[in-house]
Amino acid sequence: AKAKTAVGIMSRQRRRATDDNRHEENIKRDAFIAPFGAVGYKFRKHFAGYGWFDGEVVEIRPGAAKRKDRRVQYLDGDIEDLSLEELRDF
């Protein structure tokens, strides 16, 4: 019975260490701030009547119509194509 308990404790300690490492990796990843307009650039946009939404540039599409070459995705899953000029307004 003692061996099971010791194994259980070691298993929990390993799991906790793994969770701590994942947490540190997430902090490092989230600490990266993408340059303006680059993939990963994050911003907030206000939609009248709906409020503020967080968005992120997920793709750059060279040659897109009307210079709307920044594909952005909002946290609610919506996607919109914006130009750099439009993105600068946020």
Side-chain angles (χ1 to χ4, degrees), residues 11-87:
S11 183
R12 279 193 299 273
Q13 289 173 341
R14 274 191 232 112
R15 218 178 3 247
R16 189 175 307 126
T18 300
D19 290 345
D20 289 346
N21 289 341
R22 283 189 194 131
H23 179 69
E24 287 177 22
E25 289 171 11
N26 288 340
I27 289 172
K28 288 177 188 172
R29 185 190 70 232
D30 291 344
F32 170 75
I33 298 174
F36 172 77
V39 171
Y41 177 74
K42 295 180 181 184
F43 62 94
R44 296 188 85 203
K45 180 179 177 181
H46 186 265
F47 290 89
Y50 296 97
W52 290 93
F53 288 84
D54 293 326
E56 180 177 350
V57 176
V58 295
E59 182 182 356
I60 298 175
R61 303 170 34 247
K66 298 182 184 178
R67 298 173 47 148
K68 293 182 180 254
D69 59 354
R70 293 327 196 242
R71 178 150 293 167
V72 302
Q73 184 170 17
Y74 298 95
L75 287 180
D76 64 358
D78 284 353
I79 293 176
E80 179 178 26
D81 294 331
L82 299 172
S83 67
L84 275 177
E85 292 77 23
E86 291 171 315
L87 196 57

